Amino acid sequence: MRDPLDNDCSDQTVVSPFPGEGHDHQQCIDQALAEAERLCAARGRRLTPLRRRVLELIWDSHQPVKAYDLLARLRADSASAAPPTVYRALDFLMAERLVHRLASMNAYVGCGHPGHRHAGQFLICRGCHAVAEMDDPDVQSLLDSRASDLGFALVDQTIELEGLCPRCRWAHAAVGRAR
């Protein structure tokens, strides 16, 4: 069954860019939380205070966050936080397409367009660990086609690419010039 709030995102390739100079990160957090509240209310799903807090902690940076790091931060708020609680919150957030799991790092990042069904293509910086999210329909179409040629029914795809973000590339180049 198709989600009535599921908008076509096929014309947008960059979902969440690397943060640039003058980036207002609090605005990212505020927008992500407001959108999560709107989507959950429209879908008849409860964004409990714990789920909201986990989402807020994930959006606290543009870097992937591991479950046990979330647990440690939650324990600072409440000593009663436990691993099953965190994993249940993460399962909910993934089911609602509010966060993505990066398997290579066993960590989570906020979704830049949670109201849109899309395949995730993630650029992960080896220098600062920042993550940019893309949704390139040409990449998705090519993979769907190649999988189909092999008789494989592609259900989900997440692509993780490692490299250097613009800021780290510039820093790396500046170090090279200084030598």
Side-chain angles (χ1 to χ4, degrees):
M1 180 177 196
R2 191 173 191 304
D3 185 337
L5 297 174
D6 202 17
N7 300 315
D8 181 17
C9 192
S10 61
D11 63 334
Q12 186 161 356
T13 302
V14 177
V15 176
S16 295
F18 289 109
E21 289 297 320
H23 173 71
D24 182 357
H25 192 64
Q26 188 59 50
Q27 184 179 3
C28 283
I29 296 169
D30 294 344
Q31 286 176 342
L33 294 174
E35 182 68 357
E37 289 170 357
R38 184 189 73 76
L39 288 171
C40 287
R43 294 173 179 162
R45 306 286 288 155
R46 278 192 68 219
L47 185 64
T48 63
L50 176 67
R51 292 168 176 170
R52 186 183 194 285
R53 180 68 177 136
V54 169
L55 182 61
E56 182 179 17
L57 291 172
I58 290 171
W59 272 99
D60 198 35
S61 74
H62 285 280
Q63 298 176 342
V65 183
K66 295 181 180 283
Y68 276 87
D69 293 334
L70 290 168
L71 178 60
R73 295 195 55 200
L74 285 171
R75 282 189 173 149
D77 296 343
S78 167
S80 66
T85 312
V86 173
Y87 283 109
R88 279 194 297 271
L90 289 168
D91 286 344
F92 172 86
L93 296 172
M94 285 189 305
E96 294 303 314
R97 299 186 314 269
L98 300 171
V99 300
H100 296 284
R101 181 175 175 271
L102 300 178
S104 68
M105 304 176 81
N106 195 23
Y108 302 84
V109 293
C111 177
H113 282 291
H116 306 277
R117 196 174 297 279
H118 58 277
Q121 297 134 14
F122 298 93
L123 307 177
I124 304 168
C125 180
R126 283 187 174 180
C128 67
H129 306 289
V131 175
E133 180 183 355
M134 297 187 330
D135 177 31
D136 189 327
D138 293 336
V139 171
Q140 184 174 352
S141 178
L142 177 65
L143 291 174
D144 285 340
S145 176
R146 295 298 191 263
S148 180
D149 290 348
L150 295 171
F152 185 77
L154 190 58
V155 175
D156 190 20
Q157 62 171 273
T158 301
I159 299 171
E160 300 176 29
L161 305 167
E162 292 185 22
L164 293 174
C165 72
R167 185 176 293 168
C168 289
R169 282 182 61 210
W170 182 86
H172 184 72
V175 168
R177 285 191 302 267
R179 290 183 186 174

